[in-house]
């Protein structure tokens, strides 16, 4: 059974940093591109970042470019999101999501974690 | 960047009704279009990909169509368990933009 479990969320002050993790199991992690998607309270879904299987291709939404860094450790079956210079508008539930098709980033997302809440507030 | 626009933003229909949601891309995206369902308090669920391919386990009352810039999600006979917000998403290239969502309620 595919499982994605996010952790690392919490309350942080504006300008602060946070590192999210996503532990994957139930599939061959190294063969799937991975993604972060967020959802502000009461709002819609916003794609944040994607990373290819070997980390060769990395993409960011303009809203987080230069502040967030996605990475993965295939040996540990884990995905990460380092978030720096956090702003109030980054407050959201952050979901880890797997690509539907192996090896390509050009894919819908078929498995989602339960999400971890990040709150940016003074 | 390509924008994704859904309509309507919300709708209310009776059980058994046929429901149609549209998604329009500001530029052509071939058939690189997915639909997701998010029930209240739940995680998004992939319903349809490649514009019209039903994800495994999704009831056959859901269907998708379209190519290029105009896409539709149809629920052939609305059920109480279909109350949710539905999102389209383009995935041909970054950024993988979502539509703003369509909230479906029972009348």
């Amino acid at each position: 059974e595919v499982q994605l479990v996010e952790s690392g969320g919490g309350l942080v002050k504006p300008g602060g940093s946070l590192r999210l993790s996503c532990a994957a199991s139930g599939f061959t992690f190294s063969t799937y591109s991975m993604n972060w998607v967020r959802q502000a309270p009461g709002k819609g879904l916003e794609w944040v970042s994607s990373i290819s299987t070997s980390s060769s291709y990395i993409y960011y939404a303009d809203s987080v470019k230069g502040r967030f860094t996605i990475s993965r450790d295939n040996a540990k079956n884990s995905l990460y999101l380092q978030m720096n210079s956090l702003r109030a508008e980054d407050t959201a539930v952050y979901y880890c999501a797997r690509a539907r098709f192996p090896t390509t980033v050009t894919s819908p997302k078929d498995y989602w974690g339960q999400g971890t809440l990040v709150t940016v507030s003074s | 960047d390509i924008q994704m626009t859904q309509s309507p933003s919300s709708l209310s229909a009776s059980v058994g009704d046929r429901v149609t949601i549209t998604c329009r891309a500001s530029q052509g995206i071939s058939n690189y279009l997915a639909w997701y369902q998010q029930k209240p308090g739940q995680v998004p669920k992939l319903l349809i990909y490649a514009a019209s391919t039903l994800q495994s386990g999704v009831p056959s009352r859901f269907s998708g169509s379209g190519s290029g810039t105009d896409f539709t999600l149809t629920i052939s006979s609305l059920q109480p368990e279909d109350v949710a917000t539905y999102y389209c998403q383009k995935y041909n290239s970054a950024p993988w933009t979502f539509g703003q969502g369509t909230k479906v309620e029972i009348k």
Side-chain angles (χ1 to χ4, degrees):
Chain A
E1 179 194 5
V2 172
Q3 283 199 313
L4 299 169
V5 180
E6 303 93 337
S7 61
L11 175 63
V12 61
K13 289 181 167 53
S17 298
L18 216 51
R19 189 194 195 207
L20 306 184
S21 299
C22 172
S25 61
F27 65 102
T28 306
F29 180 74
S30 61
T31 62
Y32 287 84
S33 65
M34 296 296 295
N35 311 270
W36 288 100
V37 176
R38 69 184 181 183
Q39 187 168 35
K43 302 297 185 183
L45 301 173
E46 180 187 14
W47 168 76
V48 174
S49 184
S50 299
I51 187 168
S52 64
T53 55
S54 59
S55 306
S56 298
Y57 300 97
I58 288 175
Y59 307 88
Y60 297 102
D62 285 346
S63 57
V64 307
K65 201 172 294 183
R67 300 187 299 122
F68 290 11
T69 302
I70 191 173
S71 62
R72 64 189 294 162
D73 185 334
N74 288 341
K76 294 183 177 179
N77 292 339
S78 293
L79 175 72
Y80 307 101
L81 187 67
Q82 177 67 42
M83 304 186 297
N84 298 331
S85 303
L86 282 161
R87 307 166 179 166
E89 54 265 36
D90 295 318
T91 295
V93 173
Y94 285 73
Y95 295 104
C96 162
R98 191 192 81 163
R100 167 70 174 76
F101 307 122
T103 72
T104 177
V105 293
T106 306
S107 173
K109 323 323 174 195
D110 62 347
Y111 284 95
W112 298 61
Q114 288 300 309
T116 186
L117 176 62
V118 172
T119 303
V120 184
S121 174
S122 54
Chain B
D1 292 346
I2 297 174
Q3 305 304 313
M4 306 300 293
T5 305
Q6 288 182 232
S7 62
S9 56
S10 66
L11 66 88
S12 182
S14 300
V15 172
D17 281 355
R18 183 181 183 89
V19 168
T20 298
I21 299 168
T22 65
C23 177
R24 175 163 289 176
S26 59
Q27 297 176 42
I29 58 170
S30 184
N31 69 336
Y32 291 91
L33 192 282
W35 290 97
Y36 300 86
Q37 174 193 62
Q38 188 177 30
K39 296 182 178 181
Q42 295 189 18
V43 169
K45 173 186 174 182
L46 177 64
L47 291 179
I48 287 169
Y49 60 93
S52 61
T53 302
L54 215 60
Q55 172 72 346
S56 176
V58 173
S60 58
R61 63 180 179 275
F62 291 92
S63 63
S65 64
S67 183
T69 59
D70 295 312
F71 303 87
T72 61
L73 171 70
T74 300
I75 308 173
S76 60
S77 177
L78 187 67
Q79 301 301 303
E81 59 266 32
D82 300 334
V83 168
T85 301
Y86 294 84
Y87 298 91
C88 63
Q89 184 196 27
K90 62 174 280 291
Y91 60 91
N92 60 316
S93 61
W96 284 276
T97 309
F98 288 91
Q100 79 276 19
T102 297
K103 188 173 184 179
V104 174
E105 298 175 321
I106 300 291
K107 193 181 294 181

